[in-house]
Coordinates of all heavy atoms in Angstrom, one line a residue:
Chain A
G1264 N 81.1 -14.4 -6.3 CA 82.1 -15.4 -6.9 C 81.7 -16.9 -6.8 O 81.8 -17.6 -7.8
H1265 N 81.3 -17.3 -5.6 CA 81.0 -18.7 -5.4 C 79.8 -19.2 -6.3 O 79.8 -20.3 -6.8 CB 80.7 -19.0 -4.0 CG 81.9 -19.1 -3.1 ND1 83.0 -19.9 -3.4 CD2 82.3 -18.4 -2.0 CE1 83.9 -19.7 -2.5 NE2 83.5 -18.7 -1.6
I1266 N 78.9 -18.3 -6.5 CA 77.7 -18.6 -7.4 C 78.2 -18.8 -8.8 O 77.9 -19.8 -9.5 CB 76.6 -17.5 -7.3 CG1 76.1 -17.5 -5.8 CG2 75.5 -17.8 -8.3 CD1 75.1 -16.4 -5.6
V1267 N 78.9 -17.8 -9.3 CA 79.5 -17.8 -10.6 C 80.3 -19.1 -10.8 O 80.2 -19.8 -11.9 CB 80.3 -16.6 -11.0 CG1 81.0 -16.7 -12.3 CG2 79.4 -15.3 -10.9
S1268 N 81.2 -19.4 -9.8 CA 82.1 -20.5 -10.0 C 81.3 -21.9 -10.0 O 81.6 -22.7 -10.9 CB 83.2 -20.4 -9.0 OG 83.3 -21.6 -8.3
A1269 N 80.3 -22.0 -9.2 CA 79.5 -23.2 -9.2 C 78.8 -23.4 -10.5 O 78.8 -24.5 -11.1 CB 78.5 -23.2 -8.0
A1270 N 78.2 -22.3 -11.0 CA 77.5 -22.4 -12.3 C 78.5 -22.7 -13.4 O 78.2 -23.5 -14.3 CB 76.8 -21.1 -12.6
D1271 N 79.6 -22.1 -13.4 CA 80.7 -22.3 -14.4 C 81.1 -23.8 -14.3 O 81.2 -24.4 -15.4 CB 81.8 -21.4 -14.1 CG 82.9 -21.5 -15.2 OD1 82.5 -21.4 -16.3 OD2 84.1 -21.7 -14.8
Q1272 N 81.3 -24.4 -13.1 CA 81.7 -25.8 -13.1 C 80.6 -26.7 -13.7 O 81.0 -27.7 -14.3 CB 81.8 -26.2 -11.6 CG 82.8 -25.3 -10.8 CD 84.2 -25.8 -10.9 OE1 84.5 -26.7 -11.7 NE2 85.1 -25.2 -10.1
L1273 N 79.4 -26.3 -13.5 CA 78.3 -27.1 -14.1 C 78.4 -27.0 -15.6 O 78.4 -28.1 -16.3 CB 77.0 -26.7 -13.5 CG 75.8 -27.3 -14.2 CD1 75.7 -28.8 -13.7 CD2 74.5 -26.6 -13.9
I1274 N 78.4 -25.9 -16.1 CA 78.2 -25.7 -17.6 C 79.4 -26.3 -18.3 O 79.3 -26.6 -19.5 CB 77.9 -24.2 -17.9 CG1 77.2 -24.1 -19.3 CG2 79.2 -23.4 -17.9 CD1 75.8 -24.7 -19.3
R1275 N 80.6 -26.4 -17.6 CA 81.7 -27.0 -18.3 C 81.5 -28.4 -18.7 O 82.2 -29.0 -19.6 CB 82.9 -27.0 -17.3 CG 83.7 -25.7 -17.2 CD 84.6 -25.8 -16.0 NE 85.3 -24.5 -15.8 CZ 86.4 -24.1 -16.4 NH1 87.0 -24.9 -17.3 NH2 86.9 -22.9 -16.2
H1276 N 80.5 -29.1 -18.1 CA 80.2 -30.5 -18.5 C 79.5 -30.6 -19.8 O 79.3 -31.7 -20.3 CB 79.4 -31.1 -17.4 CG 80.2 -31.5 -16.2 ND1 80.5 -30.5 -15.2 CD2 80.8 -32.6 -15.8 CE1 81.2 -31.1 -14.3 NE2 81.4 -32.3 -14.6
N1277 N 79.0 -29.5 -20.4 CA 78.6 -29.5 -21.8 C 79.7 -29.6 -22.7 O 80.6 -28.8 -22.7 CB 77.7 -28.3 -22.1 CG 76.3 -28.4 -21.7 OD1 75.9 -29.5 -21.0 ND2 75.5 -27.5 -21.9
T1278 N 79.7 -30.6 -23.6 CA 80.9 -30.8 -24.4 C 80.8 -30.0 -25.7 O 81.8 -29.4 -26.1 CB 81.0 -32.3 -24.8 OG1 79.8 -32.8 -25.4 CG2 81.4 -33.1 -23.6
R1279 N 79.6 -29.9 -26.3 CA 79.6 -29.2 -27.5 C 79.4 -27.7 -27.3 O 78.3 -27.1 -27.3 CB 78.5 -29.7 -28.4 CG 78.9 -31.0 -29.2 CD 77.7 -31.6 -29.8 NE 76.8 -32.1 -28.8 CZ 75.7 -32.7 -29.1 NH1 75.4 -32.9 -30.4 NH2 74.8 -33.2 -28.2
R1280 N 80.5 -27.1 -27.0 CA 80.4 -25.7 -26.4 C 81.7 -25.1 -26.5 O 82.8 -25.7 -26.2 CB 79.9 -25.9 -25.0 CG 80.3 -24.7 -24.1 CD 79.6 -24.9 -22.8 NE 79.7 -23.6 -22.1 CZ 80.7 -23.3 -21.3 NH1 81.8 -24.1 -21.2 NH2 80.7 -22.1 -20.7
K1281 N 81.7 -23.8 -26.8 CA 83.0 -23.0 -26.7 C 83.1 -22.4 -25.3 O 82.2 -21.6 -24.9 CB 82.9 -21.9 -27.8 CG 84.2 -21.4 -28.2 CD 84.1 -20.7 -29.6 CE 83.1 -19.6 -29.7 NZ 83.1 -18.9 -30.9
H1282 N 84.1 -22.8 -24.6 CA 84.2 -22.3 -23.2 C 84.5 -20.8 -23.2 O 85.4 -20.4 -23.9 CB 85.2 -23.0 -22.4 CG 85.1 -22.6 -21.0 ND1 84.1 -22.8 -20.1 CD2 86.0 -21.8 -20.3 CE1 84.4 -22.3 -18.9 NE2 85.6 -21.6 -19.0
K1283 N 83.8 -20.0 -22.5 CA 84.3 -18.6 -22.3 C 84.4 -18.4 -20.8 O 83.5 -18.8 -20.0 CB 83.4 -17.7 -22.9 CG 81.9 -17.8 -22.7 CD 81.1 -16.8 -23.5 CE 79.6 -16.8 -23.0 NZ 79.0 -18.0 -23.1
P1284 N 85.5 -17.8 -20.4 CA 85.7 -17.6 -19.0 C 84.7 -16.6 -18.4 O 84.3 -15.7 -19.0 CB 87.1 -17.0 -18.9 CG 87.3 -16.4 -20.3 CD 86.5 -17.2 -21.2
L1285 N 84.2 -17.0 -17.2 CA 83.3 -16.2 -16.5 C 84.0 -15.6 -15.3 O 84.7 -16.3 -14.6 CB 82.1 -16.9 -16.0 CG 81.1 -17.5 -17.0 CD1 80.0 -18.3 -16.3 CD2 80.5 -16.3 -17.8
S1286 N 83.9 -14.3 -15.0 CA 84.5 -13.8 -13.9 C 83.5 -12.8 -13.2 O 82.7 -12.3 -13.9 CB 85.8 -13.0 -14.3 OG 85.5 -12.0 -15.2
T1287 N 83.8 -12.6 -11.9 CA 82.9 -11.7 -11.2 C 83.6 -10.5 -10.7 O 84.8 -10.6 -10.5 CB 82.1 -12.4 -10.1 OG1 81.2 -11.5 -9.5 CG2 83.0 -12.9 -9.1
E1288 N 82.8 -9.5 -10.4 CA 83.4 -8.2 -9.9 C 83.2 -8.1 -8.4 O 83.5 -7.1 -7.8 CB 82.7 -7.1 -10.6 CG 83.0 -7.0 -12.1 CD 84.5 -6.8 -12.4 OE1 84.9 -5.7 -12.0 OE2 85.1 -7.6 -13.0
L1289 N 82.4 -9.0 -7.9 CA 81.8 -8.7 -6.6 C 82.3 -9.5 -5.4 O 81.7 -9.5 -4.3 CB 80.3 -9.0 -6.7 CG 79.5 -8.2 -7.8 CD1 78.1 -8.7 -7.9 CD2 79.5 -6.8 -7.5
G1290 N 83.5 -10.1 -5.5 CA 84.0 -10.8 -4.3 C 83.3 -12.2 -4.2 O 82.4 -12.5 -4.9
D1291 N 83.9 -13.0 -3.3 CA 83.5 -14.4 -3.3 C 82.0 -14.6 -2.8 O 81.3 -15.4 -3.3 CB 84.3 -15.2 -2.3 CG 85.7 -15.5 -2.9 OD1 85.9 -15.2 -4.2 OD2 86.6 -15.9 -2.2
G1292 N 81.7 -13.9 -1.8 CA 80.3 -14.1 -1.2 C 80.1 -15.5 -0.6 O 81.0 -16.0 -0.1
E1293 N 78.8 -15.9 -0.5 CA 78.6 -17.1 0.2 C 78.6 -18.3 -0.8 O 78.3 -18.1 -2.0 CB 77.1 -17.1 0.7 CG 76.8 -16.2 1.9 CD 75.4 -16.2 2.2 OE1 74.8 -17.2 2.7 OE2 74.7 -15.2 1.9
K1294 N 78.9 -19.5 -0.3 CA 78.8 -20.6 -1.1 C 77.3 -21.0 -1.3 O 76.5 -20.9 -0.3 CB 79.5 -21.8 -0.5 CG 81.0 -21.7 -0.7 CD 81.7 -23.0 -0.2 CE 83.2 -22.9 -0.4 NZ 83.9 -24.0 0.2
P1295 N 76.9 -21.5 -2.4 CA 75.6 -22.0 -2.6 C 75.2 -23.1 -1.6 O 76.2 -23.9 -1.3 CB 75.5 -22.5 -4.0 CG 76.7 -21.8 -4.7 CD 77.7 -21.6 -3.7
T1296 N 74.0 -23.2 -1.2 CA 73.6 -24.3 -0.2 C 72.9 -25.3 -1.0 O 72.0 -25.0 -1.8 CB 72.7 -23.7 0.9 OG1 73.3 -22.5 1.3 CG2 72.6 -24.6 2.0
V1297 N 73.2 -26.6 -0.7 CA 72.4 -27.7 -1.2 C 71.7 -28.4 0.0 O 72.3 -28.8 1.0 CB 73.2 -28.7 -2.0 CG1 72.5 -29.9 -2.4 CG2 73.9 -28.1 -3.1
I1298 N 70.4 -28.6 -0.1 CA 69.7 -29.3 1.0 C 68.9 -30.5 0.5 O 68.2 -30.4 -0.5 CB 68.7 -28.3 1.8 CG1 69.4 -27.1 2.2 CG2 68.0 -29.0 2.9 CD1 68.4 -26.1 2.9
V1299 N 69.2 -31.6 1.1 CA 68.4 -32.8 0.7 C 67.3 -32.9 1.7 O 67.5 -33.0 2.9 CB 69.3 -34.1 0.8 CG1 68.5 -35.3 0.4 CG2 70.5 -33.9 -0.1
C1300 N 66.1 -32.8 1.2 CA 64.9 -32.8 2.1 C 64.2 -34.2 2.1 O 64.5 -35.0 1.2 CB 63.9 -31.7 1.7 SG 64.7 -30.1 1.5
R1301 N 63.3 -34.4 3.0 CA 62.6 -35.7 3.1 C 61.6 -35.9 2.0 O 61.5 -36.9 1.4 CB 62.0 -35.8 4.5 CG 63.0 -35.7 5.6 CD 62.3 -35.6 7.0 NE 61.8 -36.9 7.5 CZ 62.6 -37.7 8.2 NH1 63.8 -37.4 8.5 NH2 62.1 -38.8 8.6
H1302 N 60.9 -34.9 1.8 CA 59.8 -34.9 0.7 C 59.4 -33.6 0.4 O 60.0 -32.6 0.9 CB 58.6 -35.7 1.3 CG 58.2 -35.2 2.7 ND1 57.5 -34.1 2.9 CD2 58.4 -35.8 3.9 CE1 57.3 -33.9 4.2 NE2 57.9 -35.0 4.8
E1303 N 58.5 -33.4 -0.6 CA 58.3 -32.1 -1.2 C 57.7 -31.1 -0.2 O 58.0 -29.9 -0.3 CB 57.3 -32.2 -2.4 CG 55.9 -32.6 -2.2 CD 55.8 -34.2 -2.2 OE1 56.8 -34.9 -2.0 OE2 54.7 -34.6 -2.5
H1304 N 57.0 -31.5 0.8 CA 56.4 -30.6 1.8 C 57.6 -30.0 2.6 O 57.6 -28.9 3.0 CB 55.4 -31.2 2.6 CG 54.2 -31.7 1.8 ND1 53.2 -30.9 1.4 CD2 53.9 -33.0 1.4 CE1 52.3 -31.6 0.7 NE2 52.7 -32.9 0.7
H1305 N 58.4 -31.0 3.0 CA 59.6 -30.6 3.8 C 60.5 -29.6 3.0 O 60.9 -28.6 3.5 CB 60.4 -31.9 4.1 CG 61.5 -31.7 5.0 ND1 62.7 -32.4 4.9 CD2 61.7 -30.8 6.0 CE1 63.6 -32.0 5.8 NE2 63.0 -31.0 6.5
E1306 N 60.6 -29.9 1.7 CA 61.4 -29.1 0.8 C 60.9 -27.7 0.8 O 61.6 -26.7 1.0 CB 61.4 -29.6 -0.6 CG 62.2 -28.8 -1.6 CD 62.0 -29.4 -3.1 OE1 60.9 -29.7 -3.4 OE2 63.1 -29.5 -3.7
A1307 N 59.5 -27.5 0.7 CA 58.9 -26.3 0.6 C 59.1 -25.5 1.9 O 59.4 -24.3 1.9 CB 57.4 -26.4 0.4
E1308 N 59.0 -26.2 3.0 CA 59.2 -25.6 4.3 C 60.6 -25.1 4.5 O 60.8 -24.0 5.0 CB 58.9 -26.6 5.5 CG 57.4 -26.7 5.8 CD 57.1 -27.8 6.8 OE1 58.1 -28.1 7.6 OE2 56.1 -28.4 6.8
M1309 N 61.6 -25.9 4.0 CA 63.0 -25.5 4.1 C 63.2 -24.2 3.3 O 64.0 -23.3 3.8 CB 63.9 -26.6 3.6 CG 63.9 -27.9 4.4 SD 64.3 -27.7 6.1 CE 66.1 -27.4 6.0
I1310 N 62.6 -24.1 2.2 CA 62.8 -22.9 1.4 C 62.2 -21.7 2.0 O 62.8 -20.6 2.2 CB 62.2 -23.1 -0.1 CG1 63.0 -24.2 -0.8 CG2 62.1 -21.8 -0.8 CD1 62.4 -24.6 -2.1
V1311 N 61.0 -21.9 2.6 CA 60.3 -20.8 3.2 C 61.1 -20.4 4.5 O 61.3 -19.1 4.7 CB 58.9 -21.2 3.7 CG1 58.2 -20.1 4.6 CG2 58.0 -21.4 2.5
D1312 N 61.6 -21.3 5.2 CA 62.4 -21.0 6.4 C 63.7 -20.2 6.0 O 63.9 -19.1 6.7 CB 62.9 -22.2 7.0 CG 61.8 -22.9 7.8 OD1 60.8 -22.4 8.0 OD2 62.1 -24.1 8.3
E1313 N 64.3 -20.6 4.9 CA 65.5 -19.9 4.5 C 65.1 -18.4 4.1 O 65.8 -17.5 4.4 CB 66.1 -20.6 3.3 CG 67.3 -20.0 2.7 CD 68.5 -19.9 3.5 OE1 68.6 -20.7 4.5 OE2 69.4 -19.1 3.3
F1314 N 64.1 -18.3 3.4 CA 63.7 -17.0 2.9 C 63.3 -16.1 4.1 O 63.7 -14.9 4.1 CB 62.4 -17.1 2.0 CG 62.8 -17.5 0.5 CD1 64.1 -18.0 0.2 CD2 61.9 -17.3 -0.5 CE1 64.4 -18.4 -1.0 CE2 62.2 -17.7 -1.8 CZ 63.5 -18.2 -2.1

Side-chain angles (χ1 to χ4, degrees):
Chain A
H1265 285 304
I1266 295 172
V1267 172
S1268 127
D1271 184 52
Q1272 304 274 7
L1273 173 73
I1274 202 66
R1275 276 169 189 272
H1276 285 80
N1277 274 4
T1278 53
R1279 279 170 295 182
R1280 156 175 193 274
K1281 202 159 55 174
H1282 182 74
K1283 48 181 191 305
L1285 292 177
S1286 61
T1287 181
E1288 298 291 299
L1289 301 174
D1291 286 349
E1293 287 173 73
K1294 282 188 180 175
T1296 315
V1297 175
I1298 305 180
V1299 183
C1300 311
R1301 302 169 78 85
H1302 44 76
E1303 67 270 27
H1304 301 280
H1305 185 215
E1306 180 185 46
E1308 278 174 27
M1309 296 301 287
I1310 291 172
V1311 170
D1312 285 353
E1313 175 68 20
F1314 280 16

